[in-house]
Amino acid sequence: MNKLDRTAFLPVSKEDMAVRGIEQLDFVYISGDAYVDHPSFGTAIISRILEANGFTVGIIAQPNWRDPESVCTLGEPKLGFLVSAGNMDSMVNHYSVAKKRRRSDFFSPGGKMGLRPDYAVIVYSNLIRRTFKKTPIIIGGIEASLRRLAHYDYWSDKMKRSVLLDSGADIISYGMGERSIVEIAEALRSGIPVQELTFIRGTVYKTHIAPDGDDVLHLPGFDKISTSKELYAKSFYNQYLNTDPFTAKTLVEPYPDDHLFVVQNPPQMPLSTEEMDDTYALPYTRTYHPDYEALGGIPAIEEVKFSLASCRGCFGACSFCALTFHQGRIIQSRSHESLLEEAKKMTEDPDFKGYIHDVGGPTANFRKPACKKQMKVGVCKNRQCLFPEPCPNMEIDHTDYVSLLRKLRALPKVKKVFVRSGIRFDYLINDKDETFFRELVKYHVSGQLKVAPEHISDGVLRMMGKPQNSVYRRFVKRYKELNEEMHLNQYLVPYLMSSHPGSTLQDAVKLAEYLRDLGYMPEQVQDFYPTPSTISTCMYYTGLDPRTMKPVYVARDPHEKAMQRALIQYRDPKNYDLVTEALIKANRRDLIGTGKNCLLRPRHGDTRFAPPKPAANSNKPFDGKNKNGAKHGRTSQPPAPQSRRWTGEPPKKRGKR
């Protein structure tokens, strides 16, 4: 990394404050991530936004949650503490979907695991409150944002209250938060008590008196949704329908046992292109704090150091994705000038080798709202832009993205510009103008293009909110044709998901057969992970599709989930027993054997697949027919004993006689 003076970063110690002449900070930001001053990290954006608006901010990164003094190292702030778990929910950061502890943490020095607590927002906030009884605490980031109202918690397997209550914090800034955090800061600076900040968009607060009116929607109380899955599914869907800044109502969730109401104001309005540009033009150092250099640096920076975030938001709205709740469905984009300026700075980095690793966002080829009306009246409440069919009002247009990529390719020192963010192939294949598709294949694929069909069963895809498998097949066919036309040998790497609600063992077998026909076994498979605030997680917990309230099959048993996952990697010898069991349970023994369509060859000595033995003392002569009555190929003698047939294992070498 570049050797930067620590004064280029925000203060992380009393010494840093003294150098800047700061006696008391306005805000102290406590984060579960190491301090990386790069716009891909929420801590950097929020702290730099506050700095640009005249507030002083200090960073306490990964404090020792076992020591109350660790949150006191910068003293008491004038206006409040800001608390975030980091770029990921701390439970997702710590545990795999099988609830096993992960071995490394890319957001910690040297990738070391264990430097933040489980449920970090709650732990940090309670730690602060032990020492600072009345100082305002504002929580935000992905963990607080997606747990802002009552939610199902996969790791404890139960319903949990709003994180606002369990943390003891005063207010949540949810979503991306640039606007709401500045409004909160200015209100606190003007002397308004934090308990009276009930009017700011993009925030959640608690109160003893519930608001009322035509623009207020009262949800069922926590006491009711924690005992009724059907009621929770209905409540969750009402939350989902109120995530658009133009149409959302204020949501009120009662907590009778606490004599409190948790109130969610509508989301902050989308940022304009100018505001997005201003956010990314702030004086980030674009690297980790120099204190981490001796500890091995922060691995997460490698993923984003030479990548450009061109947009945010996603109107794809997949059921298993929390983007609808966090960034929203309205696309917000940066200007070409802003992106080109950042790219030029990138090329001056000594570590830059000529390759821009990515230009995108949640979905790379979304550069503007799906239709013109979205920036005037918001997104449709009861229909999706791409699912189950593309909306006739949607404007499918890659012109701006093509123009941007051409300008980036033309920059001095740039050899190649890759697109590695997710590509919505259904949006792409429905574009009548193939310019982007052709240039994507020709210039922007690094040998492999990653796409996310997720599954091949239309029933499962419907639960996922994804297009039918026929759409993906059209895309694959055209991608192959373009590669052949250009004399390129580039591959598609499909992201696949096992055990999503709606997926039965039979669906998993169909997916395995598809991979067999494709001649491909993925190295990585994503087993469905029930993270807070997604439609899929609601389905997983309730067994109901909240959109229709119809029952959904859910694979909740860990062993069945393991079988579905193993089927996708059926060629891996480690999965032999799981795949065998799955095929038998799915009544697909026809896929076990030596035929060309079989998924599995029985191992030598595995008697589960042997034909039944003849009855003892049977003197009935062999009549040349098999058990179904058909003539056997050889009638002069019975078939060779089972022990001499091919078992799937190579024959053993014989020794010399």
Side-chain angles (χ1 to χ4, degrees):
M1 63 169 275
N2 290 324
K3 290 188 177 180
L4 293 170
D5 190 318
R6 60 187 299 121
T7 58
F9 295 81
L10 297 176
V12 299
S13 66
K14 283 279 191 178
E15 291 76 16
D16 290 346
M17 291 168 59
V19 169
R20 293 164 178 78
I22 302 172
E23 291 186 9
Q24 186 180 18
L25 293 159
D26 292 321
F27 290 99
V28 171
Y29 196 129
I30 293 179
S31 172
D33 287 344
Y35 177 26
V36 182
D37 189 31
H38 187 284
S40 292
F41 294 75
T43 300
I45 286 183
I46 296 301
S47 58
R48 289 294 186 182
I49 285 275
L50 286 169
E51 181 190 44
N53 281 273
F55 298 93
T56 56
V57 186
I59 310 293
I60 300 178
Q62 300 185 316
N64 181 358
W65 72 93
R66 301 179 183 90
D67 179 10
E69 291 298 315
S70 65
V71 298
C72 304
T73 56
L74 298 181
E76 182 179 12
K78 292 178 189 175
L79 301 179
F81 284 96
L82 309 174
V83 178
S84 167
N87 268 23
M88 293 175 65
D89 186 288
S90 57
M91 301 304 286
V92 178
N93 180 279
H94 282 172
Y95 300 98
S96 70
V97 65
K99 300 182 182 179
K100 293 181 180 178
R101 192 80 169 177
R102 299 190 194 274
R103 295 180 180 179
S104 60
D105 179 353
F106 282 6
F107 296 92
S108 294
K112 185 178 180 181
M113 175 56 77
L115 298 183
R116 81 185 81 208
D118 289 354
Y119 304 108
V121 167
I122 292 173
V123 174
Y124 290 150
S125 298
N126 284 316
L127 198 63
I128 293 167
R129 196 54 84 209
R130 287 173 63 179
T131 303
F132 304 100
K133 304 298 183 184
K134 296 183 178 180
T135 309
I137 299 176
I138 301 100
I139 58 177
I142 194 79
E143 182 166 298
S145 184
L146 300 185
R147 297 172 181 267
R148 57 188 184 257
L149 295 176
H151 55 280
Y152 169 70
D153 181 72
Y154 171 67
W155 302 272
S156 61
D157 194 25
K158 65 180 183 182
M159 288 293 297
K160 286 208 167 196
R161 307 188 306 168
S162 163
V163 70
L164 188 61
L165 301 183
D166 289 338
S167 67
D170 296 289
I171 193 168
I172 300 174
S173 170
Y174 73 86
M176 298 303 285
E178 291 97 340
R179 280 190 172 147
S180 58
I181 198 62
V182 172
E183 288 188 50
I184 291 169
E186 289 178 342
L188 291 173
R189 184 164 59 183
S190 70
I192 301 175
V194 69
Q195 294 79 12
E196 295 181 18
L197 301 186
T198 61
F199 51 85
I200 298 173
R201 277 179 167 268
T203 63
V204 179
Y205 66 92
K206 53 192 175 186
T207 179
H208 292 286
I209 302 173
D212 211 347
D214 294 338
D215 59 346
V216 175
L217 178 63
H218 290 264
L219 302 173
F222 181 74
D223 56 328
K224 296 178 180 178
I225 60 176
S226 58
T227 56
S228 170
K229 292 183 176 181
E230 182 177 352
L231 203 55
Y232 172 63
K234 291 178 179 178
S235 177
F236 176 84
Y237 195 52
N238 272 323
Q239 295 174 43
Y240 184 84
L241 294 178
N242 284 276
T243 55
D244 181 79
F246 289 91
T247 61
K249 293 187 175 184
T250 297
L251 303 181
V252 179
E253 188 171 70
Y255 287 81
D257 293 345
D258 301 280
H259 307 290
L260 283 171
F261 299 91
V262 171
V263 182
Q264 175 184 301
N265 287 322
Q268 70 174 26
M269 297 301 287
L271 296 185
S272 66
T273 296
E274 292 75 16
E275 288 171 317
M276 285 278 285
D277 289 352
D278 289 344
T279 296
Y280 284 86
L282 295 170
Y284 307 100
T285 60
R286 303 188 59 83
T287 189
Y288 50 78
H289 194 277
D291 283 356
Y292 303 126
E293 189 66 24
L295 300 173
I298 309 302
I301 192 66
E302 299 304 320
E303 293 294 321
V304 297
K305 189 174 183 180
F306 299 121
S307 296
L308 296 169
S310 65
C311 60
R312 66 171 57 161
C314 181
F315 54 78
C318 300
S319 303
F320 49 80
C321 180
L323 274 167
T324 297
F325 269 74
H326 190 62
Q327 292 190 6
R329 289 168 56 191
I330 296 176
I331 304 299
Q332 302 148 73
S333 299
R334 294 167 61 188
S335 69
H336 291 197
E337 293 74 20
S338 170
L339 289 159
L340 289 166
E341 184 62 31
E342 185 177 355
K344 288 173 185 175
K345 290 179 182 177
M346 232 180 248
T347 64
E348 299 304 318
D349 191 299
D351 295 331
F352 184 71
K353 306 299 183 186
Y355 301 97
I356 295 177
H357 295 164
D358 189 25
V359 183
T363 299
N365 54 328
F366 289 172
R367 279 282 296 166
K368 64 178 185 178
C371 65
K372 291 179 180 177
K373 79 174 188 67
Q374 287 188 351
M375 290 305 290
K376 294 180 180 178
V377 296
V379 300
C380 299
K381 270 199 170 187
N382 296 308
R383 68 180 302 176
Q384 302 291 345
C385 303
L386 281 164
F387 173 82
E389 300 289 340
C391 175
N393 294 323
M394 184 171 64
E395 298 177 342
I396 303 177
D397 183 8
H398 290 91
T399 306
D400 181 72
Y401 195 35
V402 168
S403 174
L404 171 62
L405 292 172
R406 286 174 176 172
K407 291 174 184 177
L408 289 167
R409 292 202 308 264
L411 288 176
K413 300 183 182 179
V414 172
K415 299 176 183 176
K416 194 88 171 178
V417 178
F418 295 120
V419 175
R420 289 177 175 165
S421 297
I423 289 284
R424 279 300 295 227
F425 59 83
D426 48 346
Y427 185 78
L428 174 57
I429 200 66
N430 282 295
D431 190 349
K432 296 178 181 178
D433 181 355
E434 274 200 337
T435 303
F436 171 64
F437 203 170
R438 287 179 168 278
E439 295 201 9
L440 173 69
V441 172
K442 187 173 183 179
Y443 298 114
H444 304 292
V445 177
S446 57
Q448 297 177 334
L449 179 65
K450 296 176 181 178
V451 288
E454 305 296 357
H455 215 283
I456 55 92
S457 168
D458 285 342
V460 180
L461 291 169
R462 187 165 56 252
M463 293 296 104
M464 291 178 164
K466 300 284 284 186
Q468 292 184 343
N469 181 243
S470 59
V471 180
Y472 178 64
R473 290 180 183 273
R474 278 174 53 209
F475 170 77
V476 171
K477 180 176 180 291
R478 189 60 187 143
Y479 180 79
K480 183 179 179 181
E481 289 171 350
L482 288 174
N483 272 276
E484 290 174 350
E485 180 184 318
M486 298 176 191
H487 306 289
L488 296 171
N489 190 26
Q490 299 176 141
Y491 300 94
L492 281 175
V493 178
Y495 283 135
L496 302 168
M497 185 181 294
S498 62
S499 306
H500 186 277
S503 175
T504 64
L505 213 50
Q506 287 76 16
D507 290 316
V509 172
K510 288 179 184 177
L511 183 53
E513 290 183 282
Y514 170 77
L515 293 171
R516 172 204 63 202
D517 297 341
L518 197 63
Y520 169 73
M521 187 181 83
E523 293 181 7
Q524 294 181 333
V525 176
Q526 176 61 59
D527 194 2
F528 168 65
Y529 205 152
T531 56
S533 295
T534 71
I535 287 179
S536 299
T537 297
C538 182
M539 285 192 276
Y540 175 86
Y541 171 62
T542 64
L544 299 167
D545 183 343
R547 297 164 293 194
T548 62
M549 294 305 295
K550 293 181 179 179
V552 179
Y553 176 80
V554 178
R556 297 197 76 203
D557 176 62
H559 189 65
E560 181 183 345
K561 287 168 70 72
M563 285 193 289
Q564 290 207 27
R565 181 185 177 97
L567 279 164
I568 299 178
Q569 296 176 310
Y570 67 89
R571 294 183 187 176
D572 190 335
K574 292 184 294 186
N575 291 332
Y576 175 84
D577 288 325
L578 282 170
V579 174
T580 300
E581 183 181 355
L583 292 174
I584 291 173
K585 283 195 172 184
N587 198 28
R588 293 301 307 271
R589 289 174 182 262
D590 58 300
L591 296 176
I592 304 171
T594 59
K596 66 177 182 179
N597 289 328
C598 290
L599 299 178
L600 202 66
R601 290 189 172 193
R603 286 178 177 167
H604 182 67
D606 193 336
T607 59
R608 286 175 287 184
F609 320 113
K613 295 180 180 179
N617 302 320
S618 173
N619 295 319
K620 183 178 178 180
F622 179 67
D623 61 1
K625 297 180 180 179
N626 62 22
K627 64 180 181 180
N628 296 320
K631 279 284 186 180
H632 197 276
R634 295 179 64 182
T635 57
S636 58
Q637 60 183 19
Q642 175 70 12
S643 61
R644 293 178 60 189
R645 291 183 182 175
W646 172 246
T647 63
E649 296 289 333
K652 295 180 180 180
K653 293 183 179 179
R654 294 184 179 182
K656 293 182 179 179
R657 292 186 178 179

